[in-house]
Every structure is written in structure tokens, then in C-alpha cells.
Amino acid sequence: MEAIPSDTQSAAAADGGFNVLTPEAWKAQLSHYSHVVLVANSEAVDFKRLRSELPETALYVFFNNVYKVLDEPFAGHAVLFARSGVMGANIVHRREAADVLRFFAGDDFLGVVNIRVSPEENFSEEGRFEGAETRHLDLTKMLVDLYPVGKIATSGFAVALWLAELQLPGKILLAGFSAKRSEKWKVFDVHDWTFEQIFLRLFARMGTISMMGGVDASPYAAIARRFPQVPPIEIAMTAAEVLSERLHNANSQIDRLMSVTKSIRAIEGFFRRFKPKTRKQRFLEKSKE
């Protein structure tokens, strides 16, 4: 990564020897870019459109398993945000660091930012990232009183919120943040996708960030244009009424499916008991001893 001014760089030893920077240091480094583009690991990402519409001064932020969106090494300013779990950075303990980092090379790659968003998550040491320049970012305090209890924020949401709070001079653009399940990549239930989409779309409507798709493609914006005499609150309440009815109908069908598949789920639960423990499960059991 680029050198950080000595008056804004924090002492790494303050957090167990990890390379942690102050908000001022992050802002000093990221202010060089006209756009900071957060690229979700989603089939909804339109890379041709991104590269054609944005200048070379844009910084692209990638997350963990970038092979979901990249087919070849990335040419451009880039940084990899590596999410941590209880065993450290996910790409490290899953032995995927080399496979992920092969997509980045050259002076335009700023390096790795190992992040955590929950107290249960732990950092990995800088030397575990295949020699890449590494910094550490702890976002737990930012989210503790904000995110719904019992759920864990996605990396994209946490980083988007963090960038918004830095108040960078450049534009923050989210690409592929659809929260939709695809045929190829699953959407994890540990995150509150509804909360995140509401939050991010409000940010977008305020002008704090921009979203490629999402807000721009909203059918409700078209309804508001068609009925300019109707107050926005009335449109919102009508939409909520319709969505509530559809959700009720969907839940009725889900209840029927749960009843029909009860025996199948019982058989699955029986055989799951014989499944070998994962490395993560063994690690958690050992840590409790």
C-alpha cells in the first residue's frame, strides 16, 4: 500500500501487533481516488459497464472469494477486503489466500485489509497473506448498536457504512449489491439482508452513496412519477399493504411445505450426526477446553 503520513499512522502494537490505522490515515489514502467501487461477489455485477463508465482513477474494492466475479487477473486500482471468522481470516484458514491473491499483481494493487465486524471474529497475522501488504480494520464498535441482534453484517455492508463515515471526496459506488440468491452462489441466512437493503437504499436516496441497479431500477419510483399528486407516504403504505398480503400468502405455502417435508428433514437430521466435524467445529471445541 502507499506510504501513510507519519502524523496520521497509528501504532500497530496497540492491537496485539496488528497493522491498524486511524480514520484520518485511511481518509488520506483513499482520497486519491475519484470513485471507490465496492464489488459484490454476485452475478449481478456488470464489469463491462463498470470499466467503460468509470475513469482509471477509480479504486475497486473486492471481497474474499473474488473468483466469483473475476475470470482473469484484474488490471486497475484494487484492494482486497478479507473477512475474518473465529479462526482468523476466512481465506487464510480455508487455505484460499493464494487462489484469491493470484488475481492481483502490480503496483496498482493496494494489498489486503483484514476486517472483522463481530467480537467473535479474529484477525490473521500479516504474514499469512502470501506476502501481500496487509492492514487490519476493526468495525465491531461501529456496528454494535446498529445491526439487528442475532445477525451478523455482511462485509460489503460494513465497509460501505465505514466508507460513508469517512466522508471521502470521491464517490462511493456499490455494484452487484442485490441480496438475491442465485443458482450458482448462495445467500447466507446469518445476515439481515432486508435491513441492509433498506439502509443502503436510504443512503443512496440521500446521495451518500450510489448503487448500480437497486434504487435506479426501483418500480416504486416509476409509480411515484405516474402519480405525482399522491404523497410518498401514501405510496409507501400502499406498497407495504400489498407486500404484507403477499408475505402472508407465501408463509401459508411455506407452512405446507414444512409439513410435507417433515419426514425428509428427520432423515437428513439423523444422517447429519454421522458427518465428520469441520476444522472450525474442532477449533471451537478445543478453544473451550
Side-chain angles (χ1 to χ4, degrees):
M1 290 186 179
E2 298 177 7
I4 301 296
S6 59
D7 59 337
T8 59
Q9 187 166 2
S10 64
D15 194 1
F18 295 113
N19 197 350
V20 181
L21 301 181
T22 64
E24 293 77 16
W26 282 115
K27 185 171 183 178
Q29 184 167 358
L30 298 176
S31 293
H32 298 303
Y33 303 97
S34 60
H35 299 76
V36 180
V37 188
L38 278 64
V39 183
N41 289 330
S42 167
E43 294 172 346
V45 175
D46 187 343
F47 251 110
K48 287 186 178 180
R49 179 183 172 189
L50 279 176
R51 301 309 299 271
S52 64
E53 293 184 359
L54 297 179
E56 294 183 357
T57 50
L59 171 68
Y60 292 83
V61 177
F62 294 92
F63 300 92
N64 282 3
N65 301 330
V66 297
Y67 48 77
K68 293 181 178 180
V69 291
L70 293 178
D71 297 323
E72 58 185 7
F74 183 78
H77 300 289
V79 60
L80 174 68
F81 275 70
R83 176 68 173 271
S84 276
V86 294
M87 296 177 65
N90 292 325
I91 62 172
V92 169
H93 85 79
R94 293 173 183 166
R95 302 184 178 93
E96 297 175 334
D99 291 334
V100 171
L101 289 169
R102 68 182 176 86
F103 287 94
F104 306 103
D107 297 335
D108 289 336
F109 179 49
L110 272 66
V112 177
V113 181
N114 183 196
I115 66 169
R116 67 172 193 159
V117 304
S118 171
E120 292 78 20
E121 298 172 351
N122 297 294
F123 288 134
S124 288
E125 294 81 5
E126 182 174 1
R128 304 295 301 278
F129 293 93
E130 303 294 320
E133 184 78 16
T134 304
R135 304 198 190 283
H136 297 84
L137 179 62
D138 191 340
L139 301 178
T140 55
K141 292 182 180 180
M142 181 187 71
L143 295 165
V144 66
D145 294 325
L146 172 67
Y147 208 79
V149 177
K151 296 289 185 177
I152 302 175
T154 64
S155 300
F157 174 80
V159 173
L161 179 58
W162 171 68
L163 288 171
E165 292 191 349
L166 285 181
Q167 297 182 343
L168 300 174
K171 296 181 179 180
I172 302 170
L173 174 64
L174 309 188
F177 280 62
S178 66
K180 295 179 181 178
R181 181 185 296 274
S182 71
E183 295 183 3
K184 190 174 182 180
W185 308 114
K186 62 183 178 181
V187 173
F188 292 101
D189 191 45
V190 296
H191 311 303
D192 193 325
W193 298 100
T194 301
F195 173 83
E196 293 193 4
Q197 283 293 307
I198 293 172
F199 202 106
L200 292 176
R201 293 188 186 205
L202 286 174
F203 254 175
R205 288 187 168 91
M206 291 169 55
T208 306
I209 63 173
S210 298
M211 297 179 71
M212 182 169 282
V215 174
D216 295 336
S218 172
Y220 301 104
I223 293 175
R225 291 193 298 269
R226 177 62 180 81
F227 299 101
Q229 72 277 18
V230 179
I233 186 63
E234 291 295 333
I235 296 176
M237 291 180 64
T238 302
E241 177 185 342
V242 174
L243 291 173
S244 178
E245 291 178 1
R246 290 184 58 82
L247 180 61
H248 174 73
N249 294 334
N251 284 336
S252 298
Q253 298 302 316
I254 292 172
D255 287 342
R256 291 183 61 188
L257 286 173
M258 293 296 290
S259 178
V260 170
T261 59
K262 183 177 181 181
S263 59
I264 298 176
R265 288 183 285 109
I267 295 172
E268 180 190 26
F270 173 78
F271 283 105
R272 276 185 176 274
R273 293 185 296 175
F274 301 100
K275 185 178 180 180
K277 294 180 180 178
T278 64
R279 292 174 59 238
K280 181 178 180 180
Q281 289 172 328
R282 295 195 299 270
F283 173 83
L284 291 173
E285 289 179 356
K286 187 175 181 181
S287 64
K288 294 179 181 178
E289 294 178 357

